Amino acid sequence: MSERITLSVIKADIGSIAGHHMVHPDQMATATKILAEAKQKGLIIDFYVANVGDDLQLIMTHTKGPDNPDIHGLAWDAFKAAAKVARELKLYAAGQDLLSEAFSGNVRGLGPGVAELEMEERVSEPVVTFHADKTEPGAFNLPIFRIFADPFNTAGLVIDPKMHDGFIFEVYDVMEGKNVLLNSPEEMYDILALIGTTGRFVIRRVYRKSDNLLSAVVSVERLNLIAGRYVGKDDPVAIVRAQHGLPAVGEILEAFAFPHLVAGWMRGSHYGPLMPVPLRYAKVTRFDGPPRVIALGWNINKGRLIGPVDLFDDVAYDETRRLAQLIAEYMRRHGPFMPHRLGPEEMEYTTLPDVMRKLKDRFVKAEDAYKVVKKEHVS
Ligand code: F6R
Ligand code: MG
Ligand code: MG
């Protein structure tokens, strides 16, 4: 049996240039140097460094399994070094996602987002990694559901005998810290009853039902809950395996052809369309957005990362992007009104408690309001 390979995608926002807008090239170079040294020492087999907006993305392969202290320690070192560069350059929000200065073996819960998938490499192992900015892990609920459960998206669910039994969804309740396993298609309505509440129930893993093959993993960190207060965005990453009894790459990408509304735009407090973009557009400018996602295509070859292919760098997604722009314009015209702005319990910035405190004594019984107005008018 060949050695099991783990694909670890770990990302953090450790400062960016000109606001929360994009990672500085010097930060990328510093992270690259640290991962290159680790590759030379044999800790990791291969790696790639990318960015989406203000999030630095580390894509690594190794044989140490998920949640490994050496791998997480390496990511931590790379983020710390990139944060140091941010401080030296006086970039904005330097080191913001490194919530604790002391690394204790695992970056989970410290701030960085993590998706790790351990696999027995198939004869050919095509994988897509997704990296999003200005949104939250629940943003992947809709596309992951469509990829693995919606026959109108994924033809293979209907016509590929290897996929016809369906998939198992592991859904994570971010409030309670609990997981539930649900079968699709049998329990599809239960799955949807949960994952429609994107701020609370997040698809964490997907398994092929016929043989329990781990098919997809999503990062589920929510920084605002980790820190007990807002310290940064929980911009998510995801790994999806493709082909040969799994959804085809085209079926996986098809789920992003509809720019659905996600939470996390401007100040983590607005809904906007998730726009699929190539790497060259992976920076957020309009109203700090709109929320964006990139898709990188890989073949894993004994742990070597062959690729990436910048999968949304395709005219076939031009109309999706155009629709996203129209939706962005439509949403923006609501200004400070819901449902462009999130509900009060989800906002990462709010003045509501202050405003309520200030106006406390001026709130009177509804029937008295008229008297107050009348009195003030007469005197
Ligand atoms: C950060 C983000 C931005 C900021 C906004 C205000 O990831 O999404 O929209 O929330 O730029 O940032 P501060 O409060 O740092 O000025
Ligand atoms: Mg970000
Ligand atoms: Mg940020």
Side-chain angles (χ1 to χ4, degrees):
M1 215 163 83
S2 63
E3 206 163 12
R4 289 172 76 81
I5 299 294
T6 300
L7 174 60
S8 295
V9 181
I10 306 186
K11 67 95 218 172
D13 176 347
I14 31 77
S16 69
I17 181 166
H20 297 277
H21 158 236
M22 71 178 277
V23 178
H24 191 283
D26 288 2
Q27 295 175 288
M28 310 264 285
T30 301
T32 302
K33 184 165 169 282
I34 288 182
L35 297 194
E37 281 162 13
K39 180 176 170 180
Q40 208 155 36
K41 283 189 200 135
L43 175 58
I44 52 176
I45 301 171
D46 210 352
F47 74 92
Y48 190 81
V49 174
N51 90 290
V52 178
D54 56 9
D55 291 280
L56 180 60
Q57 309 280 337
L58 310 179
I59 300 152
M60 301 173 285
T61 48
H62 54 92
T63 55
K64 297 183 177 298
D67 285 330
N68 181 272
D70 297 338
I71 301 299
H72 284 216
L74 173 64
W76 187 256
D77 289 345
F79 291 139
K80 267 185 60 179
K84 184 162 172 268
V85 171
R87 278 190 285 269
E88 282 163 8
L89 297 179
K90 260 183 84 176
L91 298 181
Y92 194 64
Q96 75 158 35
D97 280 358
L98 305 183
L99 299 184
S100 154
E101 275 306 301
F103 174 72
S104 60
N106 194 312
V107 294
R108 246 178 241 287
L110 281 178
V114 185
E116 296 188 293
L117 193 150
E118 188 178 15
M119 64 183 87
E120 178 101 32
E121 259 186 38
R122 295 172 292 163
V123 174
S124 179
E125 186 61 65
V127 169
V128 181
T129 59
F130 291 98
H131 314 257
D133 189 32
K134 303 298 182 253
T135 185
E136 59 176 5
F140 284 129
N141 281 3
L142 186 150
I144 295 281
F145 175 83
R146 297 200 66 203
I147 292 165
F148 290 101
D150 180 0
F152 282 79
N153 181 86
T154 299
L157 293 167
V158 181
I159 62 176
D160 182 344
K162 294 204 206 69
M163 288 170 63
H164 198 67
D165 285 346
F167 289 85
I168 301 168
F169 286 75
E170 182 181 320
V171 176
Y172 181 63
D173 178 346
V174 297
M175 302 294 176
E176 300 290 330
K178 289 183 176 162
N179 283 341
V180 57
L181 291 172
L182 293 159
N183 291 313
S184 170
E186 304 88 311
E187 298 176 293
M188 183 183 283
Y189 298 161
D190 292 342
I191 294 171
L192 287 169
L194 296 180
I195 66 171
T197 304
T198 47
R200 173 159 183 185
F201 297 103
V202 181
I203 299 171
R204 185 176 204 168
R205 295 189 185 90
V206 181
Y207 305 87
R208 184 165 58 190
K209 204 188 289 161
S210 57
D211 57 358
N212 289 336
L213 184 91
L214 180 56
S215 310
V217 180
V218 178
S219 66
V220 297
E221 279 64 30
R222 273 180 61 87
L223 293 181
N224 44 353
L225 294 182
I226 291 166
R229 65 189 177 88
Y230 173 61
V231 288
K233 214 63 82 289
D234 30 18
D235 303 310
V237 288
I239 303 171
V240 182
R241 293 168 89 177
Q243 307 289 156
H244 197 69
L246 290 173
V249 168
E251 290 168 332
I252 293 168
L253 300 178
E254 175 66 8
F256 291 84
F258 167 62
H260 65 297
L261 291 173
V262 299
W265 198 359
M266 181 51 86
R267 297 177 186 274
S269 304
H270 294 82
Y271 285 106
L274 185 64
M275 187 159 75
V277 292
L279 280 163
R280 67 179 176 282
Y281 296 144
K283 56 185 177 197
V284 287
T285 52
R286 182 167 187 193
F287 201 53
D288 287 357
R292 280 164 214 233
V293 61
I294 58 161
L296 302 179
W298 310 93
N299 255 106
I300 301 181
N301 171 16
K302 299 185 194 72
R304 270 184 61 210
L305 284 167
I306 312 301
V309 187
D310 190 359
L311 290 165
F312 288 136
D313 189 6
D314 184 351
V315 291
Y317 281 85
D318 282 354
E319 286 305 304
T320 304
R321 289 187 275 268
R322 214 175 74 85
L323 179 56
Q325 314 277 29
L326 293 175
I327 295 168
E329 179 59 28
Y330 175 85
M331 295 302 282
R332 279 302 303 125
R333 293 222 198 155
H334 292 80
F337 285 84
M338 292 172 66
H340 179 28
R341 203 209 70 198
L342 299 190
E345 64 295 335
E346 286 262 41
M347 287 159 66
E348 282 161 2
Y349 287 66
T350 185
T351 50
L352 192 58
D354 295 341
V355 171
M356 290 302 284
R357 215 170 298 119
K358 191 175 73 182
L359 299 181
K360 189 165 62 65
D361 297 333
R362 289 168 58 189
F363 271 91
V364 294
K365 280 206 213 104
E367 58 267 33
D368 292 342
Y370 174 69
K371 290 181 210 155
V372 175
V373 175
K374 205 170 149 198
K375 200 172 129 211
E376 282 179 0
H377 188 69
V378 169
S379 57

